[in-house]
Amino acid sequence: MKGPQLQCKSMRSMKKESIRTVIVDDHQMVIEGLKTLLNGYESIEITSFFTTGKAVLEFLNNQPVDIVLLDVNLPDINGVEICKIIHEKYPETKTLGLSTYNEPSIINQMIKNGVKGYLLKNATADELVHAITQIHNGNFYFGSEIQNILASSITDDKDAPPKLTRREKHVLTLIANGKTTNQIAEELFISPLTVETHRRNLIRKMEVTNAAALVKIAIDKNLI
Amino acid sequence: MKGPQLQCKSMRSMKKESIRTVIVDDHQMVIEGLKTLLNGYESIEITSFFTTGKAVLEFLNNQPVDIVLLDVNLPDINGVEICKIIHEKYPETKTLGLSTYNEPSIINQMIKNGVKGYLLKNATADELVHAITQIHNGNFYFGSEIQNILASSITDDKDAPPKLTRREKHVLTLIANGKTTNQIAEELFISPLTVETHRRNLIRKMEVTNAAALVKIAIDKNLI
DNA sequence: TTTTATCTACTGGTTTTCAGGTATATTTTA
DNA sequence: TAAAATATACCTGAAAACCAGTAGATAAAA
């Protein structure tokens, strides 16, 4: 399926229309790696690269870009947030998520925020190029590992965000810090009985049996 | 068992003697990045690269290597372990730790296991080369960020490993899973009273006041 | 403007944890 | 081998957590 569909595209410009791609990653080594991996592929042009979310958003303000290779863990802005901003402000620009770890909840959030594909950083050059090409053609691309992760996380329905209220999150944080019901009540200027209620609701919502497990699950789900 | 490197043995005086370096990282992108970054430097020769700990240990069995660029997070063997093995079996070979995150406890363990230097993956090419050169000359090299991390972690004395026993770690894990003292006792075929003792010792050692905080701290310190 | 969600508060009860101890057999280490 | 660390076990009593149900006051959403 690779092959002679290159020239049929009814090009807007002359030559081969290359896919304008930018890289966002806070690690120089990864940036270099990506540049090297994509070096031999003429269809893809690395327009620029950035180590912060702020920088790439500024750039997009002035320059049209086809694909953003977006690392999830950035120093300034969360990758999930950047994803959202990009797709709201620049609907033409497509994002391909990249990360080291395979956290279903993050991937899910990225998808909700409009990411068009997702790869782990151990991807090969071919896989990377394939992903970029697919996404540029309006398709989605998720590596097989990612698909497995997503599939299992959907069937399990596990990382479904249990929708904690603001107050509950606050109480949860205090519980995780070792505060007792009475201490929490003092701190929040409410009755210990109320704190008990929140505590109960947290344990029920998170489907656990005590505070220790509650804390663990909460951390697992990045709620703290 | 490979033959054809025999004649290279006595080439100290030929040109500049290059530093035989191997890369261990499970991410293709990082490997490519490292190769690219080190490309222009003739003094450093990337002999080979690996994506697993097992592979590099096998290689070292047959080939002498000066420097191992060692990622901490590998799929099979823990980077900390590999470090230890390498320095025990191949004292001539020096390791330079590489990782994304700056976890003082891990860096400390690596140092204990003989690592000669440590860099974050956002290091520049110059920094990398400088580190490799320094280490090859018998010095240590730790990036300024790492030094800060180590300094603060020493003064804070915070991540001091509270030295949990095997049994205590086991109990800790079960507590984090929401098990009660009695359930744990059943599972481990010991008296609930014993479990209570372990629980109390855990809470004392970790300097917290209850199980919820215990779980949080334990996760923070990567004990679970 | 209903309806829903959230925060708040209470009663009454059971279970679990936490903090002080003590103590013995086994394993590790110096 | 002697000493230290570890794993095991027990006791008591107080504090805290947990369970189940109810319900009023707001605040947000339909």
Side-chain angles (χ1 to χ4, degrees):
Chain A
M1 57 158 281
K2 312 247 147 178
Q5 98 268 28
L6 298 172
Q7 70 272 36
C8 347
K9 257 300 190 185
S10 79
M11 311 278 99
R12 290 145 215 187
S13 53
M14 28 227 75
K15 297 190 183 176
K16 205 176 296 175
E17 186 183 358
S18 60
I19 305 174
R20 289 160 302 187
T21 305
V22 299
I23 301 171
V24 190
D25 197 300
D26 59 330
H27 299 300
Q28 198 62 35
M29 295 177 191
V30 173
I31 291 177
E32 289 300 327
L34 283 165
K35 288 203 293 194
T36 305
L37 286 176
L38 296 174
N39 205 352
Y41 299 85
E42 288 183 8
S43 59
I44 296 167
E45 176 200 357
I46 306 296
T47 309
S48 192
F49 53 89
F50 311 92
T51 56
T52 64
K54 199 158 168 283
V56 70
L57 291 177
E58 270 178 27
F59 182 84
L60 288 173
N61 226 8
N62 304 319
Q63 293 270 1
V65 166
D66 293 318
I67 304 277
V68 176
L69 300 184
L70 182 62
D71 181 31
V72 176
N73 307 108
L74 292 174
D76 55 345
I77 317 177
N78 185 316
V80 179
E81 278 306 305
I82 294 175
C83 199
K84 190 174 180 184
I85 296 169
I86 289 178
H87 292 106
E88 279 173 358
K89 290 186 68 172
Y90 319 100
E92 297 297 313
T93 301
K94 283 147 185 165
T95 53
L96 172 59
L98 284 176
S99 84
T100 308
Y101 302 106
N102 38 16
E103 298 162 25
S105 65
I106 298 218
I107 301 172
N108 273 323
Q109 287 176 61
M110 293 282 280
I111 293 173
K112 270 184 201 144
N113 286 351
V115 81
K116 296 297 184 297
Y118 206 93
L119 283 180
L120 295 184
K121 282 187 183 170
N122 57 1
T124 61
D126 282 341
E127 195 172 4
L128 187 56
V129 172
H130 188 229
I132 292 174
T133 312
Q134 287 291 309
I135 291 172
H136 188 238
N137 289 338
N139 300 315
F140 289 89
Y141 185 88
F142 295 92
S144 55
E145 292 131 320
I146 304 294
Q147 287 181 34
N148 287 334
I149 293 163
L150 289 178
S152 62
S153 84
I154 288 169
T155 51
D156 292 1
D157 204 83
K158 246 182 180 164
D159 71 324
K163 280 173 204 160
L164 302 187
T165 67
R166 213 174 302 162
R167 199 57 154 178
E168 283 168 344
K169 278 184 196 166
H170 198 170
V171 171
L172 174 55
T173 306
L174 295 173
I175 290 174
N177 287 337
K179 302 283 174 67
T180 68
T181 294
N182 282 322
Q183 289 171 334
I184 296 172
E186 271 186 37
E187 195 165 331
L188 301 183
F189 300 106
I190 57 179
S191 161
L193 298 159
T194 304
V195 178
E196 277 295 330
T197 303
H198 288 312
R199 180 191 285 269
R200 264 191 356 225
N201 290 336
L202 282 165
I203 289 174
R204 182 178 45 76
K205 281 188 182 177
M206 308 287 274
E207 295 175 338
V208 290
T209 56
N210 60 36
L214 174 67
V215 170
K216 175 158 179 290
I217 295 286
I219 293 177
D220 285 350
K221 292 189 190 294
N222 290 319
L223 293 175
I224 293 189
Chain B
M1 51 193 291
K2 318 264 162 180
Q5 97 272 20
L6 298 173
Q7 72 271 32
C8 311
K9 263 298 182 183
S10 55
M11 59 184 281
R12 314 219 163 139
S13 43
M14 276 191 61
K15 297 184 180 179
K16 213 173 287 178
E17 184 182 0
S18 61
I19 305 173
R20 290 161 303 188
T21 306
V22 299
I23 301 171
V24 190
D25 197 301
D26 60 328
H27 299 299
Q28 198 63 35
M29 295 177 192
V30 174
I31 291 178
E32 290 299 329
L34 283 166
K35 288 204 292 194
T36 305
L37 286 177
L38 296 174
N39 206 350
Y41 298 84
E42 288 184 7
S43 59
I44 297 168
E45 176 199 358
I46 305 297
T47 309
S48 191
F49 52 89
F50 311 92
T51 55
T52 64
K54 199 157 166 282
V56 71
L57 290 177
E58 271 177 27
F59 181 84
L60 287 173
N61 226 8
N62 303 320
Q63 293 269 4
V65 166
D66 294 316
I67 304 276
V68 177
L69 300 184
L70 181 63
D71 182 31
V72 176
N73 307 109
L74 293 173
D76 56 344
I77 317 176
N78 184 315
V80 179
E81 278 306 306
I82 294 175
C83 199
K84 190 176 180 181
I85 296 170
I86 289 179
H87 291 106
E88 278 172 0
K89 291 186 68 173
Y90 318 99
E92 298 297 313
T93 301
K94 283 148 186 164
T95 52
L96 172 59
L98 285 176
S99 84
T100 308
Y101 302 107
N102 39 15
E103 299 162 23
S105 65
I106 298 217
I107 299 172
N108 273 322
Q109 287 176 61
M110 294 281 280
I111 292 175
K112 269 183 202 146
N113 286 349
V115 80
K116 296 297 184 300
Y118 206 92
L119 283 180
L120 297 184
K121 282 186 184 170
N122 58 1
T124 61
D126 282 341
E127 196 172 5
L128 187 56
V129 172
H130 188 229
I132 292 175
T133 310
Q134 287 291 309
I135 290 173
H136 188 239
N137 288 338
N139 301 316
F140 289 89
Y141 186 89
F142 296 92
S144 53
E145 290 131 325
I146 304 293
Q147 287 181 33
N148 287 335
I149 292 162
L150 289 177
S152 62
S153 85
I154 288 169
T155 51
D156 291 3
D157 205 80
K158 243 180 186 169
D159 72 322
K163 281 176 203 159
L164 301 188
T165 68
R166 215 174 298 161
R167 200 59 155 177
E168 284 168 344
K169 278 183 195 166
H170 198 170
V171 171
L172 175 55
T173 306
L174 295 173
I175 289 174
N177 287 337
K179 303 282 173 67
T180 67
T181 294
N182 282 322
Q183 289 170 334
I184 295 172
E186 271 186 39
E187 194 164 330
L188 300 184
F189 301 105
I190 58 179
S191 160
L193 300 159
T194 305
V195 178
E196 277 296 326
T197 304
H198 288 313
R199 178 193 287 269
R200 265 185 307 148
N201 289 337
L202 282 166
I203 288 174
R204 183 178 44 76
K205 282 188 182 177
M206 308 287 275
E207 296 176 336
V208 290
T209 55
N210 60 36
L214 175 67
V215 170
K216 176 157 180 290
I217 296 286
I219 294 177
D220 285 350
K221 291 192 192 293
N222 289 320
L223 294 175
I224 292 189

